[in-house]
Amino acid sequence: MTRTETGSLITTEVSTTETARTDMPDETVLRANGLDVYYGEDQALEDVTIEIPERKVTAIIGPSGCGKSTFLRSINRMNDQIDVCRVDGELTFQEKNIYDDDVDPVALRRKIGQVFQKPNPFPKSIRENVAYGLKVQGITENVDERVEEALRSAALWEEVSDQLDSSGLDLSGGQQQRLCIARAIAPDPEVLLMDEPTSALDPVAASKIEDLIADLAREYTVIIVTHNMQQAARISDKTAVFLTGGELVEYDETAKIFADPEHDRVEDYITGKFG
Ligand SMILES: Nc1ncnc2c1ncn2[C@@H]1O[C@H](COP(=O)(O)OP(=O)(O)OP(=O)(O)O)[C@@H](O)[C@H]1O
């Protein structure tokens, strides 16, 4: 498979939307319209319709099992790896349907990076961990510069610049998570998906990642799944509340959701009456 450095989603075409980031900072970057996701006979997401703005932090909240991770995995086609998983309806990234036959999932994941709950650096050096994100995407030029830039953007450079050849596993949990963020942003994606990125960290390390997320949103669209209501309220611009059955019940400015939600079920959830 050949692919251009500019990273079109489609194997054979060069994207024409590379400049959108600077020209239209508040545009919708991702759009779901009537999105259904099934695992075998079981429906995990039902008729989800949402528009996610570019370069903002969107929080996805809701009780366990309501489909938050399923939604995140749909966006970069990680669900492709689950045999029983089926996706219906429309899900577009920069107006291109993510599930079209001509979309290359590897190219898609260059544009839509992911950070997981538990920091998962490889048993390799700090430099190699970040460079891996580039290698997977076939980026071979200016690797050292890109590694430094990614580590700086992940607020880790000052702490590791003199130990780039040490193992990533020797870092603290919070540093490891920032290393994973550096790995995810090294190929310069448009969107960063974060699935409970601070839940395995102590409060100080978690707070550093929260500050970092605010900085990252100047350059990237951040979509974060969190169980931590205070965290969603602190760091996100918009909040989507999923409830049991995989239904998106309410989606609005975060301040509105937490101060004056439209739905009683959402109010009950965010005030801790269930979930
Ligand atoms: N690989 C899978 N195979 C079958 N069913 C799955 C799979 N992954 C998730 N599910 C089911 O889909 C539904 C939604 O799961 P999902 O993990 O998306 O929810 P969640 O809101 O992220 O939950 P949590 O907050 O507990 O992480 C659940 O009923 C879950 O059991």
Side-chain angles (χ1 to χ4, degrees):
M1 183 187 73
T2 54
R3 208 168 40 71
T4 62
E5 272 275 304
T6 48
S8 166
L9 286 191
I10 307 167
T11 330
T12 51
E13 244 176 59
V14 174
S15 170
T16 53
T17 53
E18 286 288 320
T19 54
R21 186 185 282 183
T22 45
D23 295 339
M24 299 184 291
D26 287 317
E27 290 294 298
T28 294
V29 65
L30 279 157
R31 193 190 312 269
N33 194 3
L35 180 73
D36 296 314
V37 179
Y38 303 84
Y39 295 103
E41 299 291 301
D42 299 325
Q43 189 159 9
L45 288 179
E46 193 185 339
D47 197 19
V48 173
T49 294
I50 188 170
E51 290 185 353
I52 294 182
E54 193 176 43
R55 283 194 278 179
K56 297 269 192 266
V57 180
T58 297
I60 310 288
I61 64 171
S64 191
C66 69
K68 303 180 295 296
S69 299
T70 298
F71 179 63
L72 224 54
R73 288 197 303 263
S74 301
I75 295 172
N76 66 351
R77 288 190 44 176
M78 293 295 272
N79 284 334
D80 285 11
Q81 293 161 8
I82 303 172
D83 283 347
V84 293
C85 189
R86 183 163 57 83
V87 178
D88 276 347
E90 198 178 52
L91 184 57
T92 63
F93 168 58
Q94 296 177 334
E95 307 301 339
K96 169 76 181 160
N97 199 329
I98 287 169
Y99 285 87
D100 278 353
D101 289 343
D102 58 357
V103 170
D104 170 11
V106 176
L108 179 74
R109 290 178 204 132
R110 172 171 177 186
K111 301 265 188 156
I112 305 178
Q114 185 159 6
V115 175
F116 298 89
Q117 180 172 6
K118 202 165 166 288
N120 59 347
F122 306 122
K124 289 177 177 293
S125 71
I126 291 168
R127 187 198 316 274
E128 286 169 311
N129 263 280
V130 182
Y132 177 86
L134 300 168
K135 197 170 153 194
V136 169
Q137 295 295 344
I139 300 168
T140 53
E141 285 171 16
N142 306 322
V143 170
D144 283 348
E145 288 85 346
R146 287 173 189 262
V147 166
E148 175 174 340
E149 198 184 328
L151 286 167
R152 283 189 187 280
S153 299
L156 189 58
W157 177 254
E158 303 297 332
E159 289 158 63
V160 303
S161 60
D162 59 350
Q163 54 179 100
L164 294 179
D165 294 316
S166 308
S167 170
L169 297 179
D170 291 341
L171 298 172
S172 71
Q175 288 174 321
Q176 287 189 13
Q177 192 62 307
R178 280 180 280 143
L179 179 62
C180 294
I181 291 171
R183 186 173 68 198
I185 61 180
D188 199 24
E190 304 277 336
V191 177
L192 204 51
L193 307 176
M194 301 183 129
D195 200 345
E196 299 187 56
T198 65
S199 64
L201 305 179
D202 67 69
V204 173
S207 157
K208 270 197 177 173
I209 301 272
E210 286 191 9
D211 291 346
L212 172 59
I213 288 170
D215 288 343
L216 290 172
R218 292 202 204 106
E219 210 175 331
Y220 307 100
T221 301
V222 178
I223 306 175
I224 176 170
V225 166
T226 179
H227 274 116
N228 182 331
M229 232 78 77
Q230 287 79 13
Q231 181 174 72
R234 271 195 302 270
I235 67 171
S236 68
D237 301 290
K238 302 204 77 161
T239 296
V241 189
F242 286 74
L243 292 179
T244 310
E247 186 192 354
L248 172 56
V249 177
E250 196 161 334
Y251 175 54
D252 212 325
E253 301 295 322
T254 295
K256 168 86 169 83
I257 293 276
F258 284 94
D260 183 24
E262 294 290 320
H263 296 78
D264 291 345
R265 286 192 293 160
V266 171
E267 183 163 354
D268 287 350
Y269 176 67
I270 62 179
T271 54
K273 288 201 183 134
F274 74 94

